[in-house]
Amino acid sequence: MKRLIVLLIVLAGGLAAAAFAVASNAATVNGVAISQDQVNSDLTAIAHSSDYQCFLNAEELVGTGGQTGLPPIDGVGQPTGSGAHPTATASFASNYLDTLIGHQLVLELAAKQHLHVNPADLTAAHTELLGQMTSILQDVAGTKYACGTGSVALTAASVLATMPTSFVNRTLQFDATVGVFEEHEAGVGSSAADLDNYFTAHSSTFDTACFTVAEYTSESAARAAAAAVSSGTPFAQVAAQATGGGPQGCDILYGISSSLPAGSNIQDLPLGTVSSPIAVNSNYLLIQITKRTPTPFAQAKSEVQAAVQNAGANKARSVINAAEKTAAISVDQRYGQWTPAKAQVIPPSSPLPGDVLNAAVDSPGTATGQTP
């Protein structure tokens, strides 16, 4: 998958802050308001979904290589599993607002370019979101951070089902807008004709490839297997003896190559040739493409769209980063302060120890959450 497109929130611990009920703005972005009611509604929805919180924790763990996780949204002042959620940690609230500010900027940039999202874009965004969520949930499956109860693992669809429809729809609208903006920045465009032209110019990248895989726990074992193939042993025989090895079926080549580390260059691998060892997590793969056939555009369209978005992702990110640093952004001081140099909402400063009535509850040793 090309990126994490869900509401990614980079969270840190913090003191409890009131979930403000005042009907005013949490922030304004170039004159467009983000209401406190909207922020509170979203925070409440997240607070009431332990499944979505578990997913966010898994997303943060995967995104940081297991270095950080998600602290509890309620801080130490809210009993786990209680129904009411009158407060949210200051860090959670300010970082979530930072996310919404970024979303508003992207919507504004797309509008300036007269870019529009159509129903097909929303459908594609929904499919991609479910796929990325599934990948994240699978990455933490079997660990202490796995989401689900007992032997029943959560699915991406079941996690999304715990969130309000309006929340999911806004997420999909943003994700689809990002995709259209990336397609524009790639210099290709978003129409079916634009994508078809790109497909025609890169058709071999989207061939349907049948492949065989052998997996090893060390690079030396993978190289020994490759040497055996060079000496005349059929790769199918070598792969059958490897962990999880053997024929893996057929798929569009771009989908295979984009799931592997950069530099694998599977799309350039000659038919019937075994690849060099490819490091994936802690294992090493050998791959052989046994068959390649042209794929019709209609069948490859989603992969073509993903390829175009990937081609424009870096440029789009640069444009968004520049917009963040020059935008006219104001933030209600109860959420923190917008810092243009960092393009970030900085949470409110912690009070002095003497100003905290019960300092013990704010001690790091008392906090309970999912952070490793």
Side-chain angles (χ1 to χ4, degrees), residues 108-326:
E108 180 180 295
L109 288 170
K112 286 182 176 179
Q113 298 294 338
H114 306 289
L115 304 176
H116 302 285
V117 169
N118 60 42
D121 296 323
L122 292 171
T123 299
H126 186 257
T127 299
E128 185 172 0
L129 175 58
L130 289 176
Q132 292 181 358
M133 291 180 69
T134 297
S135 177
I136 290 169
L137 292 171
Q138 289 175 345
D139 281 344
V140 298
T143 74
K144 63 181 179 180
Y145 305 110
C147 297
T149 303
S151 59
V152 180
L154 289 180
T155 66
S158 68
V159 171
L160 279 186
T162 67
M163 301 301 288
T165 300
S166 59
F167 182 95
V168 176
N169 287 344
R170 282 189 291 112
T171 302
L172 294 178
Q173 182 71 30
F174 168 73
D175 292 346
T177 302
V178 170
V180 170
F181 186 65
E182 289 175 338
E183 290 160 10
H184 171 78
E185 293 301 318
V188 175
S190 302
S191 71
D194 293 332
L195 297 177
D196 196 356
N197 289 337
Y198 184 87
F199 169 78
T200 300
H202 305 84
S203 58
S204 63
T205 303
F206 304 100
D207 284 350
T208 297
C210 300
F211 57 101
T212 299
V213 175
E215 182 177 353
Y216 301 92
T217 57
S218 69
E219 184 177 7
S220 60
R223 291 197 177 281
V229 174
S230 297
S231 298
T233 305
F235 183 61
Q237 179 180 331
V238 171
Q241 299 171 352
T243 303
Q248 303 293 306
C250 305
D251 202 352
I252 293 177
L253 186 56
Y254 179 81
I256 301 171
S257 61
S258 62
S259 67
L260 296 171
S264 301
N265 298 323
I266 291 299
Q267 67 276 10
D268 299 324
L269 187 67
L271 195 67
T273 301
V274 177
S275 69
S276 300
I278 301 170
V280 178
N281 297 324
S282 58
N283 294 325
Y284 294 84
L285 305 181
L286 296 178
I287 299 177
Q288 180 190 61
I289 297 175
T290 57
K291 183 180 180 181
R292 286 179 67 157
T293 55
T295 308
F297 170 69
Q299 185 179 338
K301 184 177 179 180
S302 62
E303 281 80 6
V304 174
Q305 191 170 34
V308 173
Q309 290 173 2
N310 278 336
N314 287 338
K315 185 176 179 182
R317 188 177 300 110
S318 296
V319 173
I320 294 169
N321 289 342
E324 285 184 325
K325 293 181 179 179
T326 59

Side-chain angles (χ1 to χ4, degrees), residues 8 28-30 34 95-109 112 174 181 316-331 337-345:
L8 178 60
T28 60
V29 181
N30 292 326
I34 298 174
N95 279 279
Y96 184 74
L97 179 58
D98 190 90
T99 298
L100 294 183
I101 289 172
H103 285 198
Q104 176 56 38
L105 281 169
V106 170
L107 296 177
E108 180 180 295
L109 288 170
K112 286 182 176 179
F174 168 73
F181 186 65
R317 188 177 300 110
S318 296
V319 173
I320 294 169
N321 289 342
E324 285 184 325
K325 293 181 179 179
T326 59
I329 297 172
S330 63
V331 173
Q337 182 178 4
W338 176 256
T339 306
K342 295 183 178 180
Q344 182 181 354
V345 177

Side-chain angles (χ1 to χ4, degrees), residues 80-98:
T80 301
S82 61
H85 297 274
T87 65
T89 58
S91 291
F92 196 113
S94 62
N95 279 279
Y96 184 74
L97 179 58
D98 190 90

